[in-house]
Amino acid sequence: MTPSSPGRPGFGAIVGRVGERQQLARALSDVTSGGCRLLLVSGDPGIGKTRMLAELADLAGRGGALVLTGRAAEFERDLPFGLFLDALDDELQSSGKAVLDQLPLQQRQLLGTVFPAAAQGGGLTEPAADIALALLPRAAGAETSIERFRVHRAVRTVLERLAGDRLLVLILDDCHWADDASVELLDHLLRHPPRCRALFAVGLRPRQASARLTASLYSAEASMRMELVELEPLSRAETAQLLGMRIAEIDELYASSGGNPFYAQALHRVGSTDARPLALPLDGAGGVPTAVAGALRSEIIRLPEQTRQVALAAAVAGESCSLQQAIDISGLDEPRTVRALEELERNDLIRMRESGQFAFRHPLVRAAAYLGVSEQARVEAHRRAAAAAERRGWQVVERAHHIERSAQPGDHAAIAALTEAAAQVLDRAPAIAADWAASALRLLSETPIDSDQPERRLELLTHRATALFMSGQLIDSRAILHQLRRELPVDPPVKRVAVAVACARVERLLGLYDEAYAMMRDTLSSLQPGHPDEEASLTCEIAMLCLLRSEVGQAREWAVRGLELATGTTLAARLHAAAAAGVLASSSTILADIHHAAEILPTAVASIDAATDEELALRLGAITGVVRAELALERFDDAIRHSERALTIARRTGQRQLVPNLLVDKSEAHYWRGQLDEAFSCAEDAAEMAHLLKVSELQVAASTALCRAAVIRGQLDAAIDAASWSVKTSRAPDPYYAREAQVQAGYAHIIAGQQERGIQEILAAVGEEQQHLPASYRPWIFELLAFAEVGRGRLDEARKWADRAVEAAPAGLRRGAAFAAMAHAHIRLAAGESAEAAELARSAAQDFGAVKMQISVGRAQLLAGEALARSGDREGALAALGIAKDLFARGGAQQVLAEVVDSQRRIGARMRRAGAPSNAGLDSLTTREREIASLIARGLSNKQVAERIFVSPKTVESHLSRIYAKLGVTSRTALALTIGPRDD
């Protein structure tokens, strides 16, 4: 047997396809200049997608690019990350070792859960043995800590490091068969492309692609340019050339093949176009013609029996197969297996690779070898494959798909293996874990009943509900949880109540507040006396649901009842009391009863701080209400501390349903503290998790957090777009986050000088009475409105809002008074009362400083500096502006940093000469900002830069505003003088 091309079966010269090859060459040429692009090579089975992708690989390889090629396989769709394993593992095993060694330990560990080459000793790392229960509290100490988006980011980092200065070409073929984990990873890479020159080339059959894959591919244009290469049938002349025949000889064959090159070759091989269909359909979704299916079957059935047996073994082995695998799976000895392989190669059914393994010449040939035998033969082949893999020390995850296809009812070892495999892939491939749990349940349900079967069944149902939840299949997860509620015994009620609460939390995420409320009330009414912990748990959940339904008064009543129930000294009682106190404090802040909220919060905090992590893991929801109350009561450091602790525990114990909201709350706390980079990072993590879970309200909350940080960072267009998306997407009865996003959009419009539109956005979000936001937020809203009206020259309207800010400022909260003072300072400054404006701004800065709201302190100092400058106090103005500039620079507030620089220039501060280089300023630029600055300095317009790096002109404009602020310049000329001549 002779090897063909590396990594793929051999190919002949391409016939036709002139326009398509030109598309490939243009794409390579364009991406060589910078940026990322996506090529979507689409067409029916056999049309030539793989051949075109091989042509692309050859072109890119000759140009010095790093070419990574992976291919999904029809019968391995339950192998987690199989597509990327095929593309990356060999590279990591060889030249990638040095790259892996340079990565942080955590990233290496994450990659080791996916790629054998990245794991210590060359094998997959062992996660915890027990399954992660994301919906129910788990036993203390059980630990599964990875979140899938962190794996995705680690893979992106590896791609960047592997590429280095080279062009990266990532070719992913047959993506319509990609496993769910691979689709998620591809989706992440398309939304967050590697920070290098990269070309993604994806081959797929559009009719067989999943809705999620299609949505990911066609939404990629938001982050990179996408081009479709749609392969059409060959012409009659091209088909004749392909087959080495005269045009006059191919009429019947061309009619039967429709110009599909693979179909034409298959029919030509058997010399017939008769319809001899396979016993099983080759490709039901792809619509393979009956005559072609018959031709492929003919190629297989005319082989000797032992050769067909080895062909089946090769099909069972996977996308490629080694000699040893063929021996193990076929059950034949080595001499007979080798003779069969040689026969398969002579008939061009398989082709050797340089690696010494072999693969079928086309996936449809593999399908013919696999489906053209009896089901019993396939079962036996998979059983031999599973046994051989176990003998050779393969991990259970690598054996699971063989076990699943060969296990019989009553096979307790298979049930245990599938359960263990589901546990191991739960974090990184939950959809596959759900399928394996379902298979274990099927095997168990068909097993004669034994003593522990009911308990094992309930355990597997819980595992499946967890995996479905994590893969974003919330409706299916909810259905299983309801099934568990029906099957669990009423007494004792502990598990049944826990499942009911878990179900209610899933319904919360689905926006089914009324259904969750009714279920909690029903569960509570059916609870027998003598179970105070369960009664308190249900009561606290009902209180939270009332809060979500905007029934604030009822929320307080249920929270008070929860406090009354949780009067014991046990840990459970104390944590239930903390949860009730958190809801009570949150509702009190909305009702402006700040004193009551501040009075009861310390009790809740004391209970949480006194609990160990293991104890708190059982009642982790108690923290969430407390964090919300701390945000409203200006206790931002405490909110950060508690949310960080809760995140650590949630990640360690698998309670992932809490993580996105905790990240959103932590982002908000960092925002008010003026730590914008941390706020943005938390919001990005929340957005990734919400995207994976496919929960719209979580996505809205995360998008709002991104929007909040983006405004003050100067990313105004991004903030407005995110807000618009949040408003359109939210389906919650009380769309709190969507309203806040719209407020932030209004803020962005006001900063951009569009005061009237900004006012309209804010009032549309919350109404003139501002009743939909916590009392502590209202003065901030009124200050924004006053500032906007001052910008429109309507001082009387501005005074109305400023007076309302004073009225709305809750007693005992410093920021309320500070925002009210800022509102009046804007008006005094506009009215020419500069000294009074400066005094009010300084007072606001003092109040903001007392609660460590650093960016707000900077805004007040900026306003004070402008007022002092107008009153003639130049030194005082420069001092105030210097404080503001330092706070904004440290916090990452690029938008207002630019305003400070302009103010300093206006009053004649000693600034760095435009032509004097500043290494510190240049070092502060990101890679993308340096690239844009260099292109602008060479004289390119925003539009030309956008076309060069494949982004929108608005994105270039946003980057440019941050570049100006970092370098302290205000014009293109000054920018060019500052950075000096640059290499391309």
Side-chain angles (χ1 to χ4, degrees), residues 355-596:
S355 63
Q357 295 190 325
F358 52 87
F360 287 94
R361 76 170 189 267
H362 193 277
L364 288 177
V365 179
R366 181 187 175 196
Y370 185 81
L371 296 174
V373 300
S374 68
E375 183 173 350
Q376 183 58 38
R378 290 197 298 273
V379 168
E380 290 298 328
H382 280 293
R383 182 176 291 124
R384 288 191 293 268
E390 186 173 16
R391 287 196 305 271
R392 299 185 185 286
W394 287 24
Q395 298 293 320
V396 67
V397 169
E398 300 169 292
R399 295 184 275 119
H401 70 288
H402 292 305
I403 296 171
E404 185 179 30
R405 286 164 171 77
S406 61
Q408 300 297 310
D411 188 342
H412 290 281
I415 294 170
L418 289 172
T419 303
E420 182 185 354
Q424 291 196 16
V425 303
L426 179 69
D427 280 292
R428 58 189 190 273
I432 294 171
D435 289 342
W436 285 341
S439 294
L441 275 166
R442 175 181 52 79
L443 294 173
L444 186 66
S445 65
E446 297 172 1
T447 302
I449 296 177
D450 56 35
S451 58
D452 66 345
Q453 182 172 332
E455 186 175 343
R456 292 181 71 187
R457 171 179 163 75
L458 294 175
E459 180 188 9
L460 278 169
L461 282 171
T462 304
H463 294 172
R464 180 159 162 75
T466 302
L468 289 168
F469 170 84
M470 290 179 60
S471 63
Q473 301 175 71
L474 269 65
I475 294 175
D476 292 336
S477 178
R478 173 184 179 243
I480 292 179
L481 288 169
H482 275 296
Q483 182 180 350
L484 275 167
R485 285 181 60 238
R486 292 190 296 269
E487 294 188 15
L488 282 166
V490 174
D491 194 49
V494 178
K495 287 185 178 179
R496 192 165 181 272
V497 169
V499 168
V501 170
C503 188
R505 289 173 180 169
V506 172
E507 290 181 334
R508 268 202 235 163
L509 296 175
L510 289 167
L512 302 174
Y513 298 154
D514 292 343
E515 289 87 342
Y517 178 80
M519 181 179 60
M520 290 292 93
R521 293 295 302 268
D522 177 67
T523 307
L524 181 61
S525 65
S526 65
L527 189 66
Q528 297 297 317
H531 300 284
D533 284 349
E534 283 68 38
E535 187 177 359
S537 176
L538 292 167
T539 300
C540 291
E541 189 66 25
I542 292 171
M544 179 59 73
L545 284 164
C546 288
L547 204 59
L548 292 170
R549 296 166 80 200
S550 297
E551 298 168 349
V552 182
Q554 291 187 43
R556 289 190 71 178
E557 292 176 11
W558 281 101
V560 168
R561 182 175 170 184
L563 280 172
E564 292 170 350
L565 287 168
T567 55
T569 58
T570 65
L571 171 69
R574 286 187 284 113
L575 292 178
H576 284 313
V583 174
L584 189 56
S586 294
S587 59
S588 297
T589 60
I590 294 173
L591 296 173
D593 189 356
I594 300 299
H595 176 74
H596 189 202

Side-chain angles (χ1 to χ4, degrees), residues 100-119:
L100 292 171
D101 290 342
Q102 295 171 5
L103 296 178
L105 175 62
Q106 184 185 39
Q107 283 196 331
R108 292 203 305 273
Q109 290 173 335
L110 290 174
L111 291 166
T113 67
V114 177
F115 301 104

Side-chain angles (χ1 to χ4, degrees), residues 884-895:
K885 185 176 183 180
D886 183 57
L887 290 171
F888 295 154
R890 280 190 280 134
Q894 300 298 332
Q895 179 64 43

Side-chain angles (χ1 to χ4, degrees), residues 166 169 304 630 705 829 941:
R166 293 177 292 175
V169 178
E630 287 172 333
L829 184 60
S941 68

Side-chain angles (χ1 to χ4, degrees), residues 119-152:
Q120 284 189 337
L124 288 170
T125 57
E126 288 281 0
D130 64 330
I131 195 160
L133 302 183
L135 302 174
L136 302 177
R138 290 179 33 220
E143 183 169 346
T144 61
S145 60
I146 66 172
E147 291 162 357
R148 299 188 320 272
F149 72 89
R150 298 186 185 280
V151 176
H152 301 165

Side-chain angles (χ1 to χ4, degrees), residues 58 78 210 226 238 350 397 448 582 657 708 737 860 872 976:
D58 289 342
D78 51 1
S210 67
M226 192 269 278
E238 289 168 339
I350 63 169
V397 169
Q657 79 281 7
R708 185 192 300 128
Y737 285 111

Side-chain angles (χ1 to χ4, degrees), residues 587-728:
S587 59
S588 297
T589 60
I590 294 173
L591 296 173
D593 189 356
I594 300 299
H595 176 74
H596 189 202
E599 190 177 63
I600 62 176
L601 186 60
T603 303
V605 170
S607 296
I608 288 171
D609 289 346
T612 65
D613 285 358
E614 289 73 19
E615 293 168 336
L616 199 55
L618 303 176
R619 301 283 190 285
L620 196 54
I623 292 186
T624 56
V626 168
V627 170
R628 294 302 305 170
E630 287 172 333
L631 287 171
L633 294 173
E634 302 172 345
R635 302 179 185 183
F636 306 118
D637 287 338
D638 286 340
I640 292 170
R641 176 170 61 87
H642 284 132
S643 57
E644 183 60 47
R645 186 183 181 196
L647 283 165
T648 300
I649 297 170
R651 286 167 171 152
R652 196 180 71 236
T653 59
Q655 300 180 66
R656 295 160 190 80
Q657 79 281 7
L658 298 175
V659 171
N661 277 328
L662 284 167
L663 285 168
V664 168
D665 290 342
K666 188 167 182 276
S667 173
E668 181 177 345
H670 281 302
Y671 170 81
W672 289 116
R673 280 286 282 111
Q675 299 159 343
L676 298 184
D677 289 341
E678 291 88 343
F680 203 79
S681 177
C682 287
E684 282 187 315
D685 286 356
E688 284 301 303
M689 287 201 71
H691 180 80
L692 291 174
L693 290 173
K694 309 185 194 75
V695 179
S696 62
E697 289 310 313
L698 288 179
Q699 290 174 311
V700 168
S703 179
T704 299
L706 284 169
C707 178
R708 185 192 300 128
V711 173
I712 205 73
R713 292 174 96 209
Q715 299 163 297
L716 303 185
D717 290 336
I720 291 168
D721 290 344
S724 175
W725 182 89
S726 294
V727 171
K728 286 188 291 188

